[in-house]
Amino acid sequence: MSKVLKAAGIILAFLIIIGVGAYALLAVIANKNLSMLEYKDVDMNTVADGVYQGEADARLVYVKVEVTVKDHRIGDIKILEHKNGMGGKAESITEAMIEKNSYDVDAISGATFSSEVIKSAVSKALKKGCGV
């Protein structure tokens, strides 16, 4: 019986080491992809009324948005596509963006990666309204 427990312990330790290594690798990849996201410099006073689309792709997360602007204010943000792992709760970040009239808001805790990709997509959509 002790040999069986010893073998099970070795297998369990091996699986834990593999799991920690895989998690560390995914964290490195995620951080690299986050550092590659673009955030456009947007002055809302220069954004014309209209509906603009933007997208951002960080490999693990892809977002496509539609932003409605009226009187230099963000009126609505629709998430047209959101391919994510478990970052669905990040979609509520659009409420803060509308309230603040800016994409530059705090990320949703527990969904930072998706939050940042959504912010990048919204910034790109808004930049299209600047005529640039």
Side-chain angles (χ1 to χ4, degrees), residues 61-93:
V61 176
Y62 168 82
V63 174
K64 183 174 185 179
V65 297
E66 183 176 87
V67 181
T68 303
V69 176
K70 175 93 169 128
D71 298 324
H72 306 291
R73 305 257 341 140
I74 299 171
D76 189 33
I77 301 171
K78 292 181 184 165
I79 301 200
L80 303 176
E81 199 172 345
H82 185 191
K83 296 178 183 172
N84 63 67
M86 298 180 349
K89 71 179 185 174
E91 294 182 4
S92 65
I93 197 170

PDB file of all heavy atoms in Angstrom, residues 61-93:
ATOM      1  N   VAL A  61      -7.516  36.964 -26.548  1.00  0.00           N
ATOM      2  CA  VAL A  61      -8.783  37.698 -26.492  1.00  0.00           C
ATOM      3  C   VAL A  61      -8.889  38.570 -27.739  1.00  0.00           C
ATOM      4  O   VAL A  61      -7.938  39.250 -28.114  1.00  0.00           O
ATOM      5  CB  VAL A  61      -8.867  38.589 -25.226  1.00  0.00           C
ATOM      6  CG1 VAL A  61     -10.135  39.414 -25.230  1.00  0.00           C
ATOM      7  CG2 VAL A  61      -8.776  37.753 -23.961  1.00  0.00           C
ATOM      8  N   TYR A  62     -10.069  38.560 -28.364  1.00  0.00           N
ATOM      9  CA  TYR A  62     -10.359  39.406 -29.523  1.00  0.00           C
ATOM     10  C   TYR A  62     -11.659  40.134 -29.235  1.00  0.00           C
ATOM     11  O   TYR A  62     -12.621  39.532 -28.734  1.00  0.00           O
ATOM     12  CB  TYR A  62     -10.506  38.573 -30.793  1.00  0.00           C
ATOM     13  CG  TYR A  62     -11.084  39.355 -31.950  1.00  0.00           C
ATOM     14  CD1 TYR A  62     -10.272  40.174 -32.726  1.00  0.00           C
ATOM     15  CD2 TYR A  62     -12.441  39.296 -32.244  1.00  0.00           C
ATOM     16  CE1 TYR A  62     -10.802  40.909 -33.775  1.00  0.00           C
ATOM     17  CE2 TYR A  62     -12.970  40.026 -33.297  1.00  0.00           C
ATOM     18  CZ  TYR A  62     -12.152  40.833 -34.058  1.00  0.00           C
ATOM     19  OH  TYR A  62     -12.674  41.569 -35.093  1.00  0.00           O
ATOM     20  N   VAL A  63     -11.693  41.432 -29.544  1.00  0.00           N
ATOM     21  CA  VAL A  63     -12.894  42.227 -29.309  1.00  0.00           C
ATOM     22  C   VAL A  63     -13.166  43.123 -30.515  1.00  0.00           C
ATOM     23  O   VAL A  63     -12.247  43.735 -31.060  1.00  0.00           O
ATOM     24  CB  VAL A  63     -12.743  43.111 -28.048  1.00  0.00           C
ATOM     25  CG1 VAL A  63     -13.922  44.047 -27.892  1.00  0.00           C
ATOM     26  CG2 VAL A  63     -12.590  42.265 -26.804  1.00  0.00           C
ATOM     27  N   LYS A  64     -14.442  43.192 -30.881  1.00  0.00           N
ATOM     28  CA  LYS A  64     -14.902  44.147 -31.897  1.00  0.00           C
ATOM     29  C   LYS A  64     -16.052  44.924 -31.266  1.00  0.00           C
ATOM     30  O   LYS A  64     -16.983  44.321 -30.715  1.00  0.00           O
ATOM     31  CB  LYS A  64     -15.367  43.422 -33.155  1.00  0.00           C
ATOM     32  CG  LYS A  64     -15.780  44.364 -34.268  1.00  0.00           C
ATOM     33  CD  LYS A  64     -16.101  43.577 -35.537  1.00  0.00           C
ATOM     34  CE  LYS A  64     -16.401  44.520 -36.692  1.00  0.00           C
ATOM     35  NZ  LYS A  64     -16.678  43.759 -37.923  1.00  0.00           N
ATOM     36  N   VAL A  65     -15.969  46.268 -31.338  1.00  0.00           N
ATOM     37  CA  VAL A  65     -16.975  47.112 -30.704  1.00  0.00           C
ATOM     38  C   VAL A  65     -17.570  48.095 -31.700  1.00  0.00           C
ATOM     39  O   VAL A  65     -16.988  48.378 -32.748  1.00  0.00           O
ATOM     40  CB  VAL A  65     -16.387  47.912 -29.511  1.00  0.00           C
ATOM     41  CG1 VAL A  65     -15.908  46.984 -28.410  1.00  0.00           C
ATOM     42  CG2 VAL A  65     -15.285  48.853 -29.964  1.00  0.00           C
ATOM     43  N   GLU A  66     -18.715  48.634 -31.319  1.00  0.00           N
ATOM     44  CA  GLU A  66     -19.363  49.710 -32.058  1.00  0.00           C
ATOM     45  C   GLU A  66     -19.670  50.805 -31.040  1.00  0.00           C
ATOM     46  O   GLU A  66     -20.356  50.564 -30.046  1.00  0.00           O
ATOM     47  CB  GLU A  66     -20.645  49.204 -32.708  1.00  0.00           C
ATOM     48  CG  GLU A  66     -21.355  50.236 -33.553  1.00  0.00           C
ATOM     49  CD  GLU A  66     -22.559  49.640 -34.228  1.00  0.00           C
ATOM     50  OE1 GLU A  66     -23.636  49.642 -33.592  1.00  0.00           O
ATOM     51  OE2 GLU A  66     -22.416  49.153 -35.367  1.00  0.00           O
ATOM     52  N   VAL A  67     -19.144  52.003 -31.298  1.00  0.00           N
ATOM     53  CA  VAL A  67     -19.289  53.109 -30.358  1.00  0.00           C
ATOM     54  C   VAL A  67     -20.116  54.208 -31.014  1.00  0.00           C
ATOM     55  O   VAL A  67     -19.819  54.641 -32.125  1.00  0.00           O
ATOM     56  CB  VAL A  67     -17.906  53.669 -29.945  1.00  0.00           C
ATOM     57  CG1 VAL A  67     -18.063  54.806 -28.948  1.00  0.00           C
ATOM     58  CG2 VAL A  67     -17.022  52.565 -29.376  1.00  0.00           C
ATOM     59  N   THR A  68     -21.146  54.659 -30.309  1.00  0.00           N
ATOM     60  CA  THR A  68     -21.994  55.743 -30.781  1.00  0.00           C
ATOM     61  C   THR A  68     -21.614  57.023 -30.046  1.00  0.00           C
ATOM     62  O   THR A  68     -21.550  57.033 -28.809  1.00  0.00           O
ATOM     63  CB  THR A  68     -23.485  55.427 -30.536  1.00  0.00           C
ATOM     64  OG1 THR A  68     -23.802  54.193 -31.176  1.00  0.00           O
ATOM     65  CG2 THR A  68     -24.382  56.539 -31.057  1.00  0.00           C
ATOM     66  N   VAL A  69     -21.365  58.087 -30.820  1.00  0.00           N
ATOM     67  CA  VAL A  69     -20.984  59.380 -30.257  1.00  0.00           C
ATOM     68  C   VAL A  69     -22.018  60.421 -30.665  1.00  0.00           C
ATOM     69  O   VAL A  69     -22.413  60.486 -31.836  1.00  0.00           O
ATOM     70  CB  VAL A  69     -19.578  59.807 -30.738  1.00  0.00           C
ATOM     71  CG1 VAL A  69     -19.223  61.196 -30.218  1.00  0.00           C
ATOM     72  CG2 VAL A  69     -18.534  58.787 -30.298  1.00  0.00           C
ATOM     73  N   LYS A  70     -22.459  61.227 -29.713  1.00  0.00           N
ATOM     74  CA  LYS A  70     -23.398  62.320 -29.963  1.00  0.00           C
ATOM     75  C   LYS A  70     -22.982  63.496 -29.094  1.00  0.00           C
ATOM     76  O   LYS A  70     -22.819  63.348 -27.883  1.00  0.00           O
ATOM     77  CB  LYS A  70     -24.824  61.870 -29.617  1.00  0.00           C
ATOM     78  CG  LYS A  70     -25.873  62.937 -29.720  1.00  0.00           C
ATOM     79  CD  LYS A  70     -26.519  62.916 -31.076  1.00  0.00           C
ATOM     80  CE  LYS A  70     -27.737  63.825 -31.039  1.00  0.00           C
ATOM     81  NZ  LYS A  70     -27.763  64.790 -32.070  1.00  0.00           N
ATOM     82  N   ASP A  71     -22.778  64.655 -29.711  1.00  0.00           N
ATOM     83  CA  ASP A  71     -22.377  65.871 -29.001  1.00  0.00           C
ATOM     84  C   ASP A  71     -21.097  65.659 -28.190  1.00  0.00           C
ATOM     85  O   ASP A  71     -21.007  66.079 -27.032  1.00  0.00           O
ATOM     86  CB  ASP A  71     -23.501  66.374 -28.087  1.00  0.00           C
ATOM     87  CG  ASP A  71     -24.752  66.755 -28.865  1.00  0.00           C
ATOM     88  OD1 ASP A  71     -24.617  67.282 -29.997  1.00  0.00           O
ATOM     89  OD2 ASP A  71     -25.876  66.516 -28.357  1.00  0.00           O
ATOM     90  N   HIS A  72     -20.149  64.980 -28.802  1.00  0.00           N
ATOM     91  CA  HIS A  72     -18.835  64.712 -28.202  1.00  0.00           C
ATOM     92  C   HIS A  72     -18.917  63.844 -26.946  1.00  0.00           C
ATOM     93  O   HIS A  72     -18.019  63.874 -26.103  1.00  0.00           O
ATOM     94  CB  HIS A  72     -18.093  66.019 -27.898  1.00  0.00           C
ATOM     95  CG  HIS A  72     -17.976  66.920 -29.082  1.00  0.00           C
ATOM     96  ND1 HIS A  72     -17.197  66.619 -30.164  1.00  0.00           N
ATOM     97  CD2 HIS A  72     -18.574  68.108 -29.354  1.00  0.00           C
ATOM     98  CE1 HIS A  72     -17.308  67.584 -31.069  1.00  0.00           C
ATOM     99  NE2 HIS A  72     -18.141  68.495 -30.614  1.00  0.00           N
ATOM    100  N   ARG A  73     -19.988  63.078 -26.831  1.00  0.00           N
ATOM    101  CA  ARG A  73     -20.166  62.178 -25.685  1.00  0.00           C
ATOM    102  C   ARG A  73     -20.369  60.754 -26.204  1.00  0.00           C
ATOM    103  O   ARG A  73     -21.012  60.545 -27.231  1.00  0.00           O
ATOM    104  CB  ARG A  73     -21.384  62.558 -24.842  1.00  0.00           C
ATOM    105  CG  ARG A  73     -21.396  63.957 -24.349  1.00  0.00           C
ATOM    106  CD  ARG A  73     -21.052  64.237 -22.926  1.00  0.00           C
ATOM    107  NE  ARG A  73     -21.128  63.161 -21.979  1.00  0.00           N
ATOM    108  CZ  ARG A  73     -20.223  62.997 -21.010  1.00  0.00           C
ATOM    109  NH1 ARG A  73     -19.188  63.805 -20.908  1.00  0.00           N
ATOM    110  NH2 ARG A  73     -20.336  62.030 -20.144  1.00  0.00           N
ATOM    111  N   ILE A  74     -19.827  59.803 -25.471  1.00  0.00           N
ATOM    112  CA  ILE A  74     -20.066  58.397 -25.787  1.00  0.00           C
ATOM    113  C   ILE A  74     -21.484  58.081 -25.327  1.00  0.00           C
ATOM    114  O   ILE A  74     -21.788  58.160 -24.133  1.00  0.00           O
ATOM    115  CB  ILE A  74     -19.051  57.475 -25.073  1.00  0.00           C
ATOM    116  CG1 ILE A  74     -17.628  57.796 -25.516  1.00  0.00           C
ATOM    117  CG2 ILE A  74     -19.408  56.015 -25.347  1.00  0.00           C
ATOM    118  CD1 ILE A  74     -16.554  57.073 -24.703  1.00  0.00           C
ATOM    119  N   GLY A  75     -22.337  57.750 -26.289  1.00  0.00           N
ATOM    120  CA  GLY A  75     -23.725  57.442 -25.962  1.00  0.00           C
ATOM    121  C   GLY A  75     -23.969  55.967 -25.734  1.00  0.00           C
ATOM    122  O   GLY A  75     -24.805  55.584 -24.923  1.00  0.00           O
ATOM    123  N   ASP A  76     -23.219  55.152 -26.457  1.00  0.00           N
ATOM    124  CA  ASP A  76     -23.417  53.710 -26.344  1.00  0.00           C
ATOM    125  C   ASP A  76     -22.174  52.985 -26.837  1.00  0.00           C
ATOM    126  O   ASP A  76     -21.477  53.477 -27.729  1.00  0.00           O
ATOM    127  CB  ASP A  76     -24.623  53.271 -27.181  1.00  0.00           C
ATOM    128  CG  ASP A  76     -25.028  51.826 -26.939  1.00  0.00           C
ATOM    129  OD1 ASP A  76     -24.878  51.345 -25.792  1.00  0.00           O
ATOM    130  OD2 ASP A  76     -25.492  51.169 -27.890  1.00  0.00           O
ATOM    131  N   ILE A  77     -21.911  51.852 -26.244  1.00  0.00           N
ATOM    132  CA  ILE A  77     -20.841  50.964 -26.698  1.00  0.00           C
ATOM    133  C   ILE A  77     -21.440  49.565 -26.776  1.00  0.00           C
ATOM    134  O   ILE A  77     -21.913  49.030 -25.773  1.00  0.00           O
ATOM    135  CB  ILE A  77     -19.629  50.954 -25.742  1.00  0.00           C
ATOM    136  CG1 ILE A  77     -19.042  52.350 -25.589  1.00  0.00           C
ATOM    137  CG2 ILE A  77     -18.579  49.962 -26.236  1.00  0.00           C
ATOM    138  CD1 ILE A  77     -17.975  52.458 -24.506  1.00  0.00           C
ATOM    139  N   LYS A  78     -21.435  49.020 -27.980  1.00  0.00           N
ATOM    140  CA  LYS A  78     -21.911  47.652 -28.175  1.00  0.00           C
ATOM    141  C   LYS A  78     -20.718  46.756 -28.436  1.00  0.00           C
ATOM    142  O   LYS A  78     -19.839  47.092 -29.230  1.00  0.00           O
ATOM    143  CB  LYS A  78     -22.853  47.580 -29.370  1.00  0.00           C
ATOM    144  CG  LYS A  78     -24.161  48.278 -29.160  1.00  0.00           C
ATOM    145  CD  LYS A  78     -25.046  48.151 -30.377  1.00  0.00           C
ATOM    146  CE  LYS A  78     -26.323  48.958 -30.153  1.00  0.00           C
ATOM    147  NZ  LYS A  78     -27.058  49.162 -31.383  1.00  0.00           N
ATOM    148  N   ILE A  79     -20.688  45.638 -27.771  1.00  0.00           N
ATOM    149  CA  ILE A  79     -19.651  44.646 -28.035  1.00  0.00           C
ATOM    150  C   ILE A  79     -20.217  43.702 -29.087  1.00  0.00           C
ATOM    151  O   ILE A  79     -21.141  42.941 -28.823  1.00  0.00           O
ATOM    152  CB  ILE A  79     -19.235  43.918 -26.752  1.00  0.00           C
ATOM    153  CG1 ILE A  79     -18.722  44.960 -25.773  1.00  0.00           C
ATOM    154  CG2 ILE A  79     -18.248  42.805 -27.062  1.00  0.00           C
ATOM    155  CD1 ILE A  79     -17.872  44.535 -24.670  1.00  0.00           C
ATOM    156  N   LEU A  80     -19.685  43.814 -30.294  1.00  0.00           N
ATOM    157  CA  LEU A  80     -20.174  43.019 -31.411  1.00  0.00           C
ATOM    158  C   LEU A  80     -19.606  41.605 -31.388  1.00  0.00           C
ATOM    159  O   LEU A  80     -20.269  40.655 -31.795  1.00  0.00           O
ATOM    160  CB  LEU A  80     -19.817  43.698 -32.738  1.00  0.00           C
ATOM    161  CG  LEU A  80     -20.334  45.125 -32.908  1.00  0.00           C
ATOM    162  CD1 LEU A  80     -19.836  45.715 -34.220  1.00  0.00           C
ATOM    163  CD2 LEU A  80     -21.853  45.164 -32.833  1.00  0.00           C
ATOM    164  N   GLU A  81     -18.383  41.496 -30.899  1.00  0.00           N
ATOM    165  CA  GLU A  81     -17.716  40.192 -30.836  1.00  0.00           C
ATOM    166  C   GLU A  81     -16.724  40.231 -29.676  1.00  0.00           C
ATOM    167  O   GLU A  81     -16.012  41.218 -29.496  1.00  0.00           O
ATOM    168  CB  GLU A  81     -16.991  39.930 -32.156  1.00  0.00           C
ATOM    169  CG  GLU A  81     -16.659  38.497 -32.402  1.00  0.00           C
ATOM    170  CD  GLU A  81     -16.128  38.267 -33.812  1.00  0.00           C
ATOM    171  OE1 GLU A  81     -16.282  39.142 -34.683  1.00  0.00           O
ATOM    172  OE2 GLU A  81     -15.537  37.201 -34.015  1.00  0.00           O
ATOM    173  N   HIS A  82     -16.706  39.169 -28.894  1.00  0.00           N
ATOM    174  CA  HIS A  82     -15.772  39.077 -27.768  1.00  0.00           C
ATOM    175  C   HIS A  82     -15.377  37.616 -27.605  1.00  0.00           C
ATOM    176  O   HIS A  82     -16.099  36.822 -27.021  1.00  0.00           O
ATOM    177  CB  HIS A  82     -16.420  39.611 -26.491  1.00  0.00           C
ATOM    178  CG  HIS A  82     -15.487  39.663 -25.324  1.00  0.00           C
ATOM    179  ND1 HIS A  82     -15.931  39.910 -24.047  1.00  0.00           N
ATOM    180  CD2 HIS A  82     -14.142  39.514 -25.218  1.00  0.00           C
ATOM    181  CE1 HIS A  82     -14.897  39.913 -23.211  1.00  0.00           C
ATOM    182  NE2 HIS A  82     -13.811  39.663 -23.900  1.00  0.00           N
ATOM    183  N   LYS A  83     -14.240  37.280 -28.170  1.00  0.00           N
ATOM    184  CA  LYS A  83     -13.692  35.932 -28.007  1.00  0.00           C
ATOM    185  C   LYS A  83     -12.761  35.993 -26.820  1.00  0.00           C
ATOM    186  O   LYS A  83     -11.764  36.716 -26.837  1.00  0.00           O
ATOM    187  CB  LYS A  83     -12.948  35.503 -29.265  1.00  0.00           C
ATOM    188  CG  LYS A  83     -13.835  35.390 -30.477  1.00  0.00           C
ATOM    189  CD  LYS A  83     -13.045  35.004 -31.703  1.00  0.00           C
ATOM    190  CE  LYS A  83     -13.956  34.974 -32.915  1.00  0.00           C
ATOM    191  NZ  LYS A  83     -13.206  34.784 -34.148  1.00  0.00           N
ATOM    192  N   ASN A  84     -13.107  35.271 -25.777  1.00  0.00           N
ATOM    193  CA  ASN A  84     -12.340  35.355 -24.538  1.00  0.00           C
ATOM    194  C   ASN A  84     -12.314  34.020 -23.836  1.00  0.00           C
ATOM    195  O   ASN A  84     -13.061  33.121 -24.159  1.00  0.00           O
ATOM    196  CB  ASN A  84     -12.964  36.405 -23.621  1.00  0.00           C
ATOM    197  CG  ASN A  84     -14.377  36.034 -23.210  1.00  0.00           C
ATOM    198  OD1 ASN A  84     -14.572  35.068 -22.491  1.00  0.00           O
ATOM    199  ND2 ASN A  84     -15.368  36.775 -23.668  1.00  0.00           N
ATOM    200  N   GLY A  85     -11.449  33.962 -22.845  1.00  0.00           N
ATOM    201  CA  GLY A  85     -11.419  32.792 -21.981  1.00  0.00           C
ATOM    202  C   GLY A  85     -12.551  32.924 -20.985  1.00  0.00           C
ATOM    203  O   GLY A  85     -13.699  32.620 -21.267  1.00  0.00           O
ATOM    204  N   MET A  86     -12.243  33.466 -19.847  1.00  0.00           N
ATOM    205  CA  MET A  86     -13.253  33.664 -18.812  1.00  0.00           C
ATOM    206  C   MET A  86     -13.440  35.154 -18.539  1.00  0.00           C
ATOM    207  O   MET A  86     -13.799  35.546 -17.446  1.00  0.00           O
ATOM    208  CB  MET A  86     -12.835  32.928 -17.538  1.00  0.00           C
ATOM    209  CG  MET A  86     -12.730  31.443 -17.757  1.00  0.00           C
ATOM    210  SD  MET A  86     -12.263  30.401 -16.374  1.00  0.00           S
ATOM    211  CE  MET A  86     -11.711  31.459 -15.100  1.00  0.00           C
ATOM    212  N   GLY A  87     -13.221  35.997 -19.539  1.00  0.00           N
ATOM    213  CA  GLY A  87     -13.274  37.443 -19.353  1.00  0.00           C
ATOM    214  C   GLY A  87     -14.588  38.082 -19.696  1.00  0.00           C
ATOM    215  O   GLY A  87     -14.651  39.282 -19.938  1.00  0.00           O
ATOM    216  N   GLY A  88     -15.665  37.320 -19.723  1.00  0.00           N
ATOM    217  CA  GLY A  88     -16.972  37.863 -20.072  1.00  0.00           C
ATOM    218  C   GLY A  88     -17.426  38.985 -19.170  1.00  0.00           C
ATOM    219  O   GLY A  88     -18.083  39.922 -19.614  1.00  0.00           O
ATOM    220  N   LYS A  89     -17.053  38.926 -17.887  1.00  0.00           N
ATOM    221  CA  LYS A  89     -17.508  39.973 -16.973  1.00  0.00           C
ATOM    222  C   LYS A  89     -16.846  41.317 -17.264  1.00  0.00           C
ATOM    223  O   LYS A  89     -17.307  42.353 -16.804  1.00  0.00           O
ATOM    224  CB  LYS A  89     -17.299  39.563 -15.518  1.00  0.00           C
ATOM    225  CG  LYS A  89     -15.874  39.529 -15.031  1.00  0.00           C
ATOM    226  CD  LYS A  89     -15.847  39.129 -13.563  1.00  0.00           C
ATOM    227  CE  LYS A  89     -14.462  39.209 -12.996  1.00  0.00           C
ATOM    228  NZ  LYS A  89     -14.436  38.963 -11.571  1.00  0.00           N
ATOM    229  N   ALA A  90     -15.806  41.332 -18.081  1.00  0.00           N
ATOM    230  CA  ALA A  90     -15.132  42.585 -18.444  1.00  0.00           C
ATOM    231  C   ALA A  90     -16.037  43.480 -19.281  1.00  0.00           C
ATOM    232  O   ALA A  90     -15.822  44.687 -19.348  1.00  0.00           O
ATOM    233  CB  ALA A  90     -13.842  42.289 -19.212  1.00  0.00           C
ATOM    234  N   GLU A  91     -17.056  42.907 -19.902  1.00  0.00           N
ATOM    235  CA  GLU A  91     -17.927  43.691 -20.766  1.00  0.00           C
ATOM    236  C   GLU A  91     -18.637  44.815 -20.020  1.00  0.00           C
ATOM    237  O   GLU A  91     -19.017  45.810 -20.621  1.00  0.00           O
ATOM    238  CB  GLU A  91     -18.919  42.774 -21.477  1.00  0.00           C
ATOM    239  CG  GLU A  91     -18.215  41.833 -22.443  1.00  0.00           C
ATOM    240  CD  GLU A  91     -19.150  40.932 -23.220  1.00  0.00           C
ATOM    241  OE1 GLU A  91     -20.384  41.068 -23.091  1.00  0.00           O
ATOM    242  OE2 GLU A  91     -18.626  40.085 -23.979  1.00  0.00           O
ATOM    243  N   SER A  92     -18.763  44.697 -18.716  1.00  0.00           N
ATOM    244  CA  SER A  92     -19.400  45.764 -17.935  1.00  0.00           C
ATOM    245  C   SER A  92     -18.540  47.029 -17.881  1.00  0.00           C
ATOM    246  O   SER A  92     -19.014  48.085 -17.457  1.00  0.00           O
ATOM    247  CB  SER A  92     -19.710  45.275 -16.518  1.00  0.00           C
ATOM    248  OG  SER A  92     -18.509  44.998 -15.813  1.00  0.00           O
ATOM    249  N   ILE A  93     -17.304  46.954 -18.345  1.00  0.00           N
ATOM    250  CA  ILE A  93     -16.422  48.119 -18.368  1.00  0.00           C
ATOM    251  C   ILE A  93     -16.993  49.224 -19.261  1.00  0.00           C
ATOM    252  O   ILE A  93     -16.698  50.401 -19.063  1.00  0.00           O
ATOM    253  CB  ILE A  93     -14.993  47.737 -18.812  1.00  0.00           C
ATOM    254  CG1 ILE A  93     -14.002  48.843 -18.428  1.00  0.00           C
ATOM    255  CG2 ILE A  93     -14.926  47.437 -20.304  1.00  0.00           C
ATOM    256  CD1 ILE A  93     -12.553  48.446 -18.607  1.00  0.00           C
TER     257      ILE A  93
END
